[in-house]
Amino acid sequence: MRRLMRRREAAEIAGEVAAAAVVPTPSVEPDPTAAAFFDVDNTMMRGASIYHFARGLASRGLFTTNDLVRFALGQAWFRVRGNENPDHIAKAKETALAFVAGLKVDEVVHLGEEIYDEVMSDRIWAGTRALAQAHLDLGQRVWLVTATPVELARVIAQRLGLTGALGTVAETADGVYTGRLVGDLLHGPAKAEAIRALARREGLDLSHCSAYSDSANDLPMLSLVGSPCAVNPDSELREHAKENGWRIRDFRTGRKATLIGLPIAATAGAVAGGIAAGIALRKHYRSS
C-alpha cells in the first residue's frame, strides 16, 4: 500500500513539473490585410486546367479529337509566345472560349465539377495544396488567379476549400456563352491588375500578401506582393527568383518535370515549340 502511494505521489510530482515546464506557443493573430494568390496551371495543378476541361468535353462528344489537338497546339503556342507578341494574345482571345460557345453557363459549371472530380483532382500538387492550406490555417484568404475561365477556376477553388478565384470572364447572353471574352485573358499584367482591384475591394495590404506561380509570365503578379514564391518554375522564373532571393519550391520529379518544362524550354521557334509541346501533351495523356 505504501509503495502504491509513493508511486502516485511520484506521478503527481512528475505531472506538476511537466506542466510547469511548458513554454506556451504564442498564438498568431490572423492578419485581415494578408492573403495568398496562386496560379493554377503547373503551380496548383499538373498540366493545363483548360486542356483537362477540354479533354473532358471531348470525351462527352462535345467536339472532336482533331478539335482537341488543335486546341492543345493553340494553348501551347500561347504558353510559349503569348507574353511576347500582341498578335498571339489577340488570337488566344479569339479561340480561348470558342469551344464553349452556345453552351449554357449552368451546364458548363456542372461539367466543370464532373471533369474536376474525374481528371483534375488527382493532378493537384500536394505540396502546393499544403502551401495554400498553411495560409488558410493562419486565417488568411487564398485566391486562385488564372487565365482559365472563371467558372472553372471557381470550381477548382471550391473543391480545394479556398476563398475564391479570379479568372478570365466570358461573355454570356441569356445564360449562354457567346464564345467571346469580356476584356482580356487574365494573363501576365492582367493578373496583377486583378489582384490590385481585389486588394482595394477587400482591404488587403499587398506587402503582407504572398503569390505563387511557375511561369515568368506571372512576374507582374509575383512582383506585386511582399512574399513571392516560384513553384515548379520555368528556367526564366527560377533565375529571376534566385537573383532576387525569392523562395523556390519544386514538387516535380523525373518525367513530370520534363513534360511540364517542355513548353517553356521550346522557345527556339514558336511553331516548333508549339508542335513539340502539343506532341508532349498527347503522349502524356495517352500513357496516363
mmCIF file of all heavy atoms in Angstrom, residues 101-148:
data_model
loop_
_atom_site.group_PDB
_atom_site.id
_atom_site.type_symbol
_atom_site.label_atom_id
_atom_site.label_comp_id
_atom_site.label_asym_id
_atom_site.label_seq_id
_atom_site.Cartn_x
_atom_site.Cartn_y
_atom_site.Cartn_z
ATOM 1 N N ALA A 101 -18.892 28.016 -76.910
ATOM 2 C CA ALA A 101 -19.920 28.879 -77.484
ATOM 3 C C ALA A 101 -21.209 28.085 -77.671
ATOM 4 O O ALA A 101 -21.203 26.966 -78.184
ATOM 5 C CB ALA A 101 -19.448 29.440 -78.823
ATOM 6 N N GLY A 102 -22.314 28.667 -77.210
ATOM 7 C CA GLY A 102 -23.604 28.012 -77.343
ATOM 8 C C GLY A 102 -23.994 27.155 -76.160
ATOM 9 O O GLY A 102 -25.159 26.751 -76.050
ATOM 10 N N LEU A 103 -23.048 26.866 -75.267
ATOM 11 C CA LEU A 103 -23.373 26.080 -74.069
ATOM 12 C C LEU A 103 -23.916 26.986 -72.975
ATOM 13 O O LEU A 103 -23.546 28.148 -72.861
ATOM 14 C CB LEU A 103 -22.126 25.355 -73.557
ATOM 15 C CG LEU A 103 -21.518 24.271 -74.458
ATOM 16 C CD1 LEU A 103 -20.276 23.684 -73.797
ATOM 17 C CD2 LEU A 103 -22.530 23.175 -74.750
ATOM 18 N N LYS A 104 -24.809 26.436 -72.159
ATOM 19 C CA LYS A 104 -25.348 27.189 -71.036
ATOM 20 C C LYS A 104 -24.311 27.272 -69.919
ATOM 21 O O LYS A 104 -23.561 26.333 -69.688
ATOM 22 C CB LYS A 104 -26.614 26.517 -70.512
ATOM 23 C CG LYS A 104 -27.781 26.531 -71.498
ATOM 24 C CD LYS A 104 -28.998 25.852 -70.893
ATOM 25 C CE LYS A 104 -30.176 25.879 -71.858
ATOM 26 N NZ LYS A 104 -31.365 25.188 -71.289
ATOM 27 N N VAL A 105 -24.301 28.409 -69.220
ATOM 28 C CA VAL A 105 -23.351 28.607 -68.124
ATOM 29 C C VAL A 105 -23.541 27.532 -67.059
ATOM 30 O O VAL A 105 -22.567 26.925 -66.594
ATOM 31 C CB VAL A 105 -23.520 30.009 -67.510
ATOM 32 C CG1 VAL A 105 -22.617 30.169 -66.294
ATOM 33 C CG2 VAL A 105 -23.221 31.086 -68.545
ATOM 34 N N ASP A 106 -24.775 27.269 -66.677
ATOM 35 C CA ASP A 106 -25.038 26.259 -65.649
ATOM 36 C C ASP A 106 -24.520 24.894 -66.077
ATOM 37 O O ASP A 106 -24.006 24.124 -65.258
ATOM 38 C CB ASP A 106 -26.534 26.173 -65.344
ATOM 39 C CG ASP A 106 -27.062 27.408 -64.637
ATOM 40 O OD1 ASP A 106 -26.228 28.204 -64.146
ATOM 41 O OD2 ASP A 106 -28.294 27.584 -64.582
ATOM 42 N N GLU A 107 -24.667 24.598 -67.357
ATOM 43 C CA GLU A 107 -24.205 23.306 -67.872
ATOM 44 C C GLU A 107 -22.685 23.208 -67.789
ATOM 45 O O GLU A 107 -22.138 22.170 -67.399
ATOM 46 C CB GLU A 107 -24.662 23.130 -69.319
ATOM 47 C CG GLU A 107 -24.234 21.804 -69.946
ATOM 48 C CD GLU A 107 -24.678 21.667 -71.388
ATOM 49 O OE1 GLU A 107 -25.268 22.632 -71.930
ATOM 50 O OE2 GLU A 107 -24.424 20.601 -71.972
ATOM 51 N N VAL A 108 -22.002 24.288 -68.141
ATOM 52 C CA VAL A 108 -20.544 24.281 -68.099
ATOM 53 C C VAL A 108 -20.044 24.144 -66.664
ATOM 54 O O VAL A 108 -19.085 23.415 -66.393
ATOM 55 C CB VAL A 108 -19.978 25.553 -68.759
ATOM 56 C CG1 VAL A 108 -18.483 25.698 -68.494
ATOM 57 C CG2 VAL A 108 -20.243 25.524 -70.264
ATOM 58 N N VAL A 109 -20.706 24.817 -65.722
ATOM 59 C CA VAL A 109 -20.320 24.686 -64.315
ATOM 60 C C VAL A 109 -20.497 23.243 -63.857
ATOM 61 O O VAL A 109 -19.617 22.669 -63.196
ATOM 62 C CB VAL A 109 -21.157 25.639 -63.429
ATOM 63 C CG1 VAL A 109 -20.915 25.343 -61.946
ATOM 64 C CG2 VAL A 109 -20.811 27.091 -63.743
ATOM 65 N N HIS A 110 -21.611 22.636 -64.212
ATOM 66 C CA HIS A 110 -21.857 21.231 -63.836
ATOM 67 C C HIS A 110 -20.810 20.321 -64.462
ATOM 68 O O HIS A 110 -20.271 19.421 -63.791
ATOM 69 C CB HIS A 110 -23.254 20.819 -64.272
ATOM 70 C CG HIS A 110 -23.568 19.378 -63.996
ATOM 71 N ND1 HIS A 110 -23.722 18.887 -62.715
ATOM 72 C CD2 HIS A 110 -23.738 18.319 -64.834
ATOM 73 C CE1 HIS A 110 -23.977 17.591 -62.767
ATOM 74 N NE2 HIS A 110 -23.993 17.222 -64.048
ATOM 75 N N LEU A 111 -20.516 20.548 -65.742
ATOM 76 C CA LEU A 111 -19.495 19.747 -66.412
ATOM 77 C C LEU A 111 -18.135 19.960 -65.758
ATOM 78 O O LEU A 111 -17.353 19.022 -65.605
ATOM 79 C CB LEU A 111 -19.423 20.112 -67.895
ATOM 80 C CG LEU A 111 -20.593 19.645 -68.762
ATOM 81 C CD1 LEU A 111 -20.528 20.305 -70.132
ATOM 82 C CD2 LEU A 111 -20.593 18.123 -68.898
ATOM 83 N N GLY A 112 -17.857 21.216 -65.364
ATOM 84 C CA GLY A 112 -16.587 21.507 -64.702
ATOM 85 C C GLY A 112 -16.440 20.716 -63.413
ATOM 86 O O GLY A 112 -15.355 20.200 -63.108
ATOM 87 N N GLU A 113 -17.517 20.613 -62.650
ATOM 88 C CA GLU A 113 -17.477 19.836 -61.407
ATOM 89 C C GLU A 113 -17.222 18.363 -61.696
ATOM 90 O O GLU A 113 -16.406 17.717 -61.020
ATOM 91 C CB GLU A 113 -18.794 20.015 -60.652
ATOM 92 C CG GLU A 113 -18.990 21.429 -60.122
ATOM 93 C CD GLU A 113 -20.392 21.657 -59.583
ATOM 94 O OE1 GLU A 113 -21.299 20.846 -59.893
ATOM 95 O OE2 GLU A 113 -20.579 22.659 -58.857
ATOM 96 N N GLU A 114 -17.912 17.829 -62.697
ATOM 97 C CA GLU A 114 -17.726 16.419 -63.058
ATOM 98 C C GLU A 114 -16.298 16.159 -63.530
ATOM 99 O O GLU A 114 -15.650 15.198 -63.100
ATOM 100 C CB GLU A 114 -18.699 16.026 -64.170
ATOM 101 C CG GLU A 114 -20.146 15.853 -63.742
ATOM 102 C CD GLU A 114 -20.998 15.309 -64.868
ATOM 103 O OE1 GLU A 114 -20.490 15.203 -66.011
ATOM 104 O OE2 GLU A 114 -22.179 14.990 -64.619
ATOM 105 N N ILE A 115 -15.816 17.023 -64.412
ATOM 106 C CA ILE A 115 -14.490 16.814 -65.007
ATOM 107 C C ILE A 115 -13.398 17.016 -63.975
ATOM 108 O O ILE A 115 -12.386 16.302 -63.985
ATOM 109 C CB ILE A 115 -14.312 17.737 -66.233
ATOM 110 C CG1 ILE A 115 -15.284 17.309 -67.345
ATOM 111 C CG2 ILE A 115 -12.875 17.715 -66.742
ATOM 112 C CD1 ILE A 115 -15.412 18.317 -68.474
ATOM 113 N N TYR A 116 -13.591 17.971 -63.056
ATOM 114 C CA TYR A 116 -12.606 18.129 -61.985
ATOM 115 C C TYR A 116 -12.485 16.833 -61.194
ATOM 116 O O TYR A 116 -11.373 16.350 -60.940
ATOM 117 C CB TYR A 116 -12.986 19.270 -61.047
ATOM 118 C CG TYR A 116 -12.004 19.384 -59.893
ATOM 119 C CD1 TYR A 116 -10.854 20.150 -60.027
ATOM 120 C CD2 TYR A 116 -12.199 18.680 -58.706
ATOM 121 C CE1 TYR A 116 -9.924 20.217 -58.995
ATOM 122 C CE2 TYR A 116 -11.285 18.737 -57.675
ATOM 123 C CZ TYR A 116 -10.146 19.504 -57.829
ATOM 124 O OH TYR A 116 -9.220 19.547 -56.803
ATOM 125 N N ASP A 117 -13.613 16.275 -60.801
ATOM 126 C CA ASP A 117 -13.592 15.050 -59.991
ATOM 127 C C ASP A 117 -13.004 13.874 -60.764
ATOM 128 O O ASP A 117 -12.337 13.010 -60.186
ATOM 129 C CB ASP A 117 -15.006 14.703 -59.519
ATOM 130 C CG ASP A 117 -15.562 15.731 -58.542
ATOM 131 O OD1 ASP A 117 -14.755 16.457 -57.918
ATOM 132 O OD2 ASP A 117 -16.797 15.814 -58.411
ATOM 133 N N GLU A 118 -13.223 13.853 -62.085
ATOM 134 C CA GLU A 118 -12.778 12.725 -62.898
ATOM 135 C C GLU A 118 -11.293 12.792 -63.243
ATOM 136 O O GLU A 118 -10.590 11.783 -63.144
ATOM 137 C CB GLU A 118 -13.586 12.656 -64.197
ATOM 138 C CG GLU A 118 -15.035 12.257 -64.014
ATOM 139 C CD GLU A 118 -15.823 12.390 -65.294
ATOM 140 O OE1 GLU A 118 -15.210 12.678 -66.358
ATOM 141 O OE2 GLU A 118 -17.059 12.217 -65.259
ATOM 142 N N VAL A 119 -10.815 13.949 -63.672
ATOM 143 C CA VAL A 119 -9.469 14.002 -64.242
ATOM 144 C C VAL A 119 -8.547 15.062 -63.647
ATOM 145 O O VAL A 119 -7.346 15.064 -63.940
ATOM 146 C CB VAL A 119 -9.516 14.196 -65.785
ATOM 147 C CG1 VAL A 119 -10.261 13.072 -66.453
ATOM 148 C CG2 VAL A 119 -10.150 15.545 -66.137
ATOM 149 N N MET A 120 -9.089 15.987 -62.835
ATOM 150 C CA MET A 120 -8.236 17.049 -62.316
ATOM 151 C C MET A 120 -7.809 16.832 -60.873
ATOM 152 O O MET A 120 -6.704 17.209 -60.489
ATOM 153 C CB MET A 120 -8.944 18.409 -62.418
ATOM 154 C CG MET A 120 -9.228 18.883 -63.822
ATOM 155 S SD MET A 120 -9.918 20.567 -63.792
ATOM 156 C CE MET A 120 -10.470 20.729 -65.481
ATOM 157 N N SER A 121 -8.670 16.253 -60.073
ATOM 158 C CA SER A 121 -8.408 16.193 -58.630
ATOM 159 C C SER A 121 -7.108 15.483 -58.297
ATOM 160 O O SER A 121 -6.389 15.890 -57.378
ATOM 161 C CB SER A 121 -9.577 15.516 -57.905
ATOM 162 O OG SER A 121 -9.762 14.199 -58.366
ATOM 163 N N ASP A 122 -6.779 14.418 -59.058
ATOM 164 C CA ASP A 122 -5.552 13.699 -58.754
ATOM 165 C C ASP A 122 -4.330 14.333 -59.399
ATOM 166 O O ASP A 122 -3.225 13.795 -59.313
ATOM 167 C CB ASP A 122 -5.657 12.231 -59.170
ATOM 168 C CG ASP A 122 -5.875 12.034 -60.659
ATOM 169 O OD1 ASP A 122 -6.099 13.049 -61.368
ATOM 170 O OD2 ASP A 122 -5.837 10.881 -61.124
ATOM 171 N N ARG A 123 -4.512 15.493 -60.044
ATOM 172 C CA ARG A 123 -3.391 16.212 -60.634
ATOM 173 C C ARG A 123 -2.992 17.433 -59.809
ATOM 174 O O ARG A 123 -2.126 18.212 -60.221
ATOM 175 C CB ARG A 123 -3.734 16.633 -62.078
ATOM 176 C CG ARG A 123 -4.030 15.442 -62.983
ATOM 177 C CD ARG A 123 -4.461 15.865 -64.373
ATOM 178 N NE ARG A 123 -4.939 14.736 -65.135
ATOM 179 C CZ ARG A 123 -4.162 13.895 -65.819
ATOM 180 N NH1 ARG A 123 -2.859 14.086 -65.829
ATOM 181 N NH2 ARG A 123 -4.677 12.885 -66.483
ATOM 182 N N ILE A 124 -3.635 17.604 -58.672
ATOM 183 C CA ILE A 124 -3.269 18.705 -57.777
ATOM 184 C C ILE A 124 -1.938 18.369 -57.112
ATOM 185 O O ILE A 124 -1.745 17.263 -56.593
ATOM 186 C CB ILE A 124 -4.354 18.908 -56.696
ATOM 187 C CG1 ILE A 124 -5.683 19.316 -57.341
ATOM 188 C CG2 ILE A 124 -3.903 19.960 -55.690
ATOM 189 C CD1 ILE A 124 -5.671 20.633 -58.067
ATOM 190 N N TRP A 125 -1.021 19.336 -57.140
ATOM 191 C CA TRP A 125 0.253 19.128 -56.460
ATOM 192 C C TRP A 125 0.025 19.173 -54.948
ATOM 193 O O TRP A 125 -0.433 20.190 -54.410
ATOM 194 C CB TRP A 125 1.250 20.222 -56.848
ATOM 195 C CG TRP A 125 1.697 20.199 -58.269
ATOM 196 C CD1 TRP A 125 1.323 21.060 -59.259
ATOM 197 C CD2 TRP A 125 2.618 19.285 -58.862
ATOM 198 N NE1 TRP A 125 1.947 20.733 -60.431
ATOM 199 C CE2 TRP A 125 2.752 19.651 -60.227
ATOM 200 C CE3 TRP A 125 3.340 18.196 -58.383
ATOM 201 C CZ2 TRP A 125 3.581 18.970 -61.112
ATOM 202 C CZ3 TRP A 125 4.163 17.507 -59.261
ATOM 203 C CH2 TRP A 125 4.277 17.889 -60.599
ATOM 204 N N ALA A 126 0.336 18.077 -54.271
ATOM 205 C CA ALA A 126 0.128 18.022 -52.817
ATOM 206 C C ALA A 126 0.941 19.098 -52.107
ATOM 207 O O ALA A 126 0.477 19.695 -51.128
ATOM 208 C CB ALA A 126 0.495 16.630 -52.284
ATOM 209 N N GLY A 127 2.152 19.357 -52.602
ATOM 210 C CA GLY A 127 2.999 20.368 -51.971
ATOM 211 C C GLY A 127 2.409 21.756 -52.071
ATOM 212 O O GLY A 127 2.427 22.531 -51.107
ATOM 213 N N THR A 128 1.870 22.093 -53.243
ATOM 214 C CA THR A 128 1.269 23.416 -53.412
ATOM 215 C C THR A 128 -0.022 23.516 -52.610
ATOM 216 O O THR A 128 -0.317 24.559 -52.014
ATOM 217 C CB THR A 128 0.979 23.693 -54.895
ATOM 218 O OG1 THR A 128 2.138 23.398 -55.669
ATOM 219 C CG2 THR A 128 0.590 25.142 -55.112
ATOM 220 N N ARG A 129 -0.776 22.437 -52.581
ATOM 221 C CA ARG A 129 -2.000 22.414 -51.775
ATOM 222 C C ARG A 129 -1.667 22.659 -50.307
ATOM 223 O O ARG A 129 -2.395 23.377 -49.607
ATOM 224 C CB ARG A 129 -2.707 21.057 -51.936
ATOM 225 C CG ARG A 129 -3.980 20.912 -51.094
ATOM 226 C CD ARG A 129 -5.062 21.822 -51.610
ATOM 227 N NE ARG A 129 -6.239 21.812 -50.735
ATOM 228 C CZ ARG A 129 -6.410 22.575 -49.668
ATOM 229 N NH1 ARG A 129 -5.448 23.443 -49.326
ATOM 230 N NH2 ARG A 129 -7.505 22.515 -48.954
ATOM 231 N N ALA A 130 -0.557 22.100 -49.847
ATOM 232 C CA ALA A 130 -0.141 22.306 -48.455
ATOM 233 C C ALA A 130 0.246 23.759 -48.208
ATOM 234 O O ALA A 130 -0.024 24.318 -47.133
ATOM 235 C CB ALA A 130 1.023 21.377 -48.110
ATOM 236 N N LEU A 131 0.878 24.389 -49.191
ATOM 237 C CA LEU A 131 1.220 25.808 -49.051
ATOM 238 C C LEU A 131 -0.043 26.652 -48.896
ATOM 239 O O LEU A 131 -0.099 27.559 -48.060
ATOM 240 C CB LEU A 131 2.014 26.277 -50.273
ATOM 241 C CG LEU A 131 3.426 25.723 -50.451
ATOM 242 C CD1 LEU A 131 3.997 26.161 -51.796
ATOM 243 C CD2 LEU A 131 4.336 26.178 -49.318
ATOM 244 N N ALA A 132 -1.061 26.345 -49.706
ATOM 245 C CA ALA A 132 -2.313 27.082 -49.607
ATOM 246 C C ALA A 132 -2.981 26.846 -48.255
ATOM 247 O O ALA A 132 -3.494 27.779 -47.630
ATOM 248 C CB ALA A 132 -3.255 26.665 -50.740
ATOM 249 N N GLN A 133 -2.934 25.603 -47.804
ATOM 250 C CA GLN A 133 -3.557 25.285 -46.519
ATOM 251 C C GLN A 133 -2.861 26.007 -45.372
ATOM 252 O O GLN A 133 -3.506 26.409 -44.397
ATOM 253 C CB GLN A 133 -3.531 23.775 -46.274
ATOM 254 C CG GLN A 133 -4.296 23.333 -45.031
ATOM 255 C CD GLN A 133 -5.766 23.689 -45.103
ATOM 256 O OE1 GLN A 133 -6.428 23.421 -46.108
ATOM 257 N NE2 GLN A 133 -6.293 24.303 -44.044
ATOM 258 N N ALA A 134 -1.555 26.178 -45.481
ATOM 259 C CA ALA A 134 -0.812 26.886 -44.436
ATOM 260 C C ALA A 134 -1.324 28.321 -44.298
ATOM 261 O O ALA A 134 -1.445 28.847 -43.182
ATOM 262 C CB ALA A 134 0.679 26.874 -44.749
ATOM 263 N N HIS A 135 -1.645 28.958 -45.420
ATOM 264 C CA HIS A 135 -2.205 30.314 -45.360
ATOM 265 C C HIS A 135 -3.598 30.294 -44.741
ATOM 266 O O HIS A 135 -3.935 31.162 -43.929
ATOM 267 C CB HIS A 135 -2.255 30.923 -46.761
ATOM 268 C CG HIS A 135 -0.915 31.328 -47.298
ATOM 269 N ND1 HIS A 135 -0.279 32.478 -46.892
ATOM 270 C CD2 HIS A 135 -0.094 30.728 -48.194
ATOM 271 C CE1 HIS A 135 0.886 32.584 -47.527
ATOM 272 N NE2 HIS A 135 1.020 31.529 -48.320
ATOM 273 N N LEU A 136 -4.395 29.319 -45.127
ATOM 274 C CA LEU A 136 -5.729 29.206 -44.539
ATOM 275 C C LEU A 136 -5.645 28.994 -43.035
ATOM 276 O O LEU A 136 -6.432 29.564 -42.267
ATOM 277 C CB LEU A 136 -6.489 28.047 -45.193
ATOM 278 C CG LEU A 136 -6.849 28.212 -46.674
ATOM 279 C CD1 LEU A 136 -7.420 26.914 -47.224
ATOM 280 C CD2 LEU A 136 -7.848 29.346 -46.865
ATOM 281 N N ASP A 137 -4.683 28.177 -42.610
ATOM 282 C CA ASP A 137 -4.519 27.902 -41.179
ATOM 283 C C ASP A 137 -4.125 29.149 -40.404
ATOM 284 O O ASP A 137 -4.371 29.238 -39.190
ATOM 285 C CB ASP A 137 -3.470 26.802 -40.966
ATOM 286 C CG ASP A 137 -3.940 25.443 -41.454
ATOM 287 O OD1 ASP A 137 -5.159 25.273 -41.660
ATOM 288 O OD2 ASP A 137 -3.091 24.549 -41.638
ATOM 289 N N LEU A 138 -3.498 30.103 -41.087
ATOM 290 C CA LEU A 138 -3.138 31.369 -40.453
ATOM 291 C C LEU A 138 -4.284 32.379 -40.484
ATOM 292 O O LEU A 138 -4.119 33.520 -40.063
ATOM 293 C CB LEU A 138 -1.908 31.971 -41.152
ATOM 294 C CG LEU A 138 -0.581 31.247 -40.940
ATOM 295 C CD1 LEU A 138 0.502 31.849 -41.830
ATOM 296 C CD2 LEU A 138 -0.161 31.322 -39.466
ATOM 297 N N GLY A 139 -5.414 31.944 -40.998
ATOM 298 C CA GLY A 139 -6.565 32.834 -41.079
ATOM 299 C C GLY A 139 -6.539 33.763 -42.273
ATOM 300 O O GLY A 139 -7.281 34.749 -42.315
ATOM 301 N N GLN A 140 -5.690 33.447 -43.261
ATOM 302 C CA GLN A 140 -5.588 34.286 -44.450
ATOM 303 C C GLN A 140 -6.493 33.755 -45.554
ATOM 304 O O GLN A 140 -6.748 32.559 -45.648
ATOM 305 C CB GLN A 140 -4.139 34.329 -44.945
ATOM 306 C CG GLN A 140 -3.173 34.937 -43.964
ATOM 307 C CD GLN A 140 -1.742 34.913 -44.465
ATOM 308 O OE1 GLN A 140 -1.468 34.590 -45.621
ATOM 309 N NE2 GLN A 140 -0.805 35.243 -43.597
ATOM 310 N N ARG A 141 -6.952 34.661 -46.388
ATOM 311 C CA ARG A 141 -7.748 34.261 -47.542
ATOM 312 C C ARG A 141 -6.820 33.829 -48.676
ATOM 313 O O ARG A 141 -5.716 34.351 -48.815
ATOM 314 C CB ARG A 141 -8.638 35.424 -47.970
ATOM 315 C CG ARG A 141 -9.790 35.688 -47.007
ATOM 316 C CD ARG A 141 -10.435 37.035 -47.232
ATOM 317 N NE ARG A 141 -9.602 38.129 -46.720
ATOM 318 C CZ ARG A 141 -9.929 39.404 -46.805
ATOM 319 N NH1 ARG A 141 -11.047 39.756 -47.405
ATOM 320 N NH2 ARG A 141 -9.137 40.331 -46.309
ATOM 321 N N VAL A 142 -7.297 32.867 -49.482
ATOM 322 C CA VAL A 142 -6.492 32.316 -50.567
ATOM 323 C C VAL A 142 -7.317 32.311 -51.848
ATOM 324 O O VAL A 142 -8.400 31.719 -51.902
ATOM 325 C CB VAL A 142 -6.029 30.876 -50.246
ATOM 326 C CG1 VAL A 142 -5.236 30.297 -51.424
ATOM 327 C CG2 VAL A 142 -5.193 30.860 -48.967
ATOM 328 N N TRP A 143 -6.777 32.962 -52.875
ATOM 329 C CA TRP A 143 -7.449 33.018 -54.170
ATOM 330 C C TRP A 143 -6.600 32.352 -55.249
ATOM 331 O O TRP A 143 -5.365 32.472 -55.247
ATOM 332 C CB TRP A 143 -7.681 34.470 -54.594
ATOM 333 C CG TRP A 143 -8.892 35.115 -54.010
ATOM 334 C CD1 TRP A 143 -10.184 35.016 -54.447
ATOM 335 C CD2 TRP A 143 -8.927 35.994 -52.871
ATOM 336 N NE1 TRP A 143 -11.010 35.768 -53.655
ATOM 337 C CE2 TRP A 143 -10.284 36.376 -52.681
ATOM 338 C CE3 TRP A 143 -7.950 36.481 -52.010
ATOM 339 C CZ2 TRP A 143 -10.677 37.230 -51.663
ATOM 340 C CZ3 TRP A 143 -8.333 37.322 -50.986
ATOM 341 C CH2 TRP A 143 -9.684 37.699 -50.818
ATOM 342 N N LEU A 144 -7.263 31.683 -56.164
ATOM 343 C CA LEU A 144 -6.620 31.268 -57.407
ATOM 344 C C LEU A 144 -6.671 32.446 -58.372
ATOM 345 O O LEU A 144 -7.648 33.202 -58.397
ATOM 346 C CB LEU A 144 -7.349 30.074 -58.023
ATOM 347 C CG LEU A 144 -7.411 28.796 -57.188
ATOM 348 C CD1 LEU A 144 -8.183 27.715 -57.941
ATOM 349 C CD2 LEU A 144 -6.008 28.310 -56.818
ATOM 350 N N VAL A 145 -5.617 32.601 -59.171
ATOM 351 C CA VAL A 145 -5.558 33.665 -60.176
ATOM 352 C C VAL A 145 -5.081 33.011 -61.461
ATOM 353 O O VAL A 145 -3.929 32.583 -61.566
ATOM 354 C CB VAL A 145 -4.596 34.795 -59.756
ATOM 355 C CG1 VAL A 145 -4.689 35.951 -60.745
ATOM 356 C CG2 VAL A 145 -4.907 35.280 -58.349
ATOM 357 N N THR A 146 -5.948 32.936 -62.470
ATOM 358 C CA THR A 146 -5.651 32.110 -63.628
ATOM 359 C C THR A 146 -6.327 32.623 -64.887
ATOM 360 O O THR A 146 -7.377 33.279 -64.814
ATOM 361 C CB THR A 146 -6.112 30.657 -63.361
ATOM 362 O OG1 THR A 146 -5.933 29.860 -64.531
ATOM 363 C CG2 THR A 146 -7.577 30.600 -62.936
ATOM 364 N N ALA A 147 -5.729 32.293 -66.035
ATOM 365 C CA ALA A 147 -6.338 32.619 -67.322
ATOM 366 C C ALA A 147 -7.492 31.679 -67.646
ATOM 367 O O ALA A 147 -8.259 31.925 -68.578
ATOM 368 C CB ALA A 147 -5.295 32.563 -68.440
ATOM 369 N N THR A 148 -7.641 30.612 -66.883
ATOM 370 C CA THR A 148 -8.746 29.677 -67.050
ATOM 371 C C THR A 148 -10.085 30.409 -66.870
ATOM 372 O O THR A 148 -10.166 31.351 -66.076
ATOM 373 C CB THR A 148 -8.620 28.542 -66.007
ATOM 374 O OG1 THR A 148 -7.491 27.748 -66.343
ATOM 375 C CG2 THR A 148 -9.857 27.663 -65.980
#
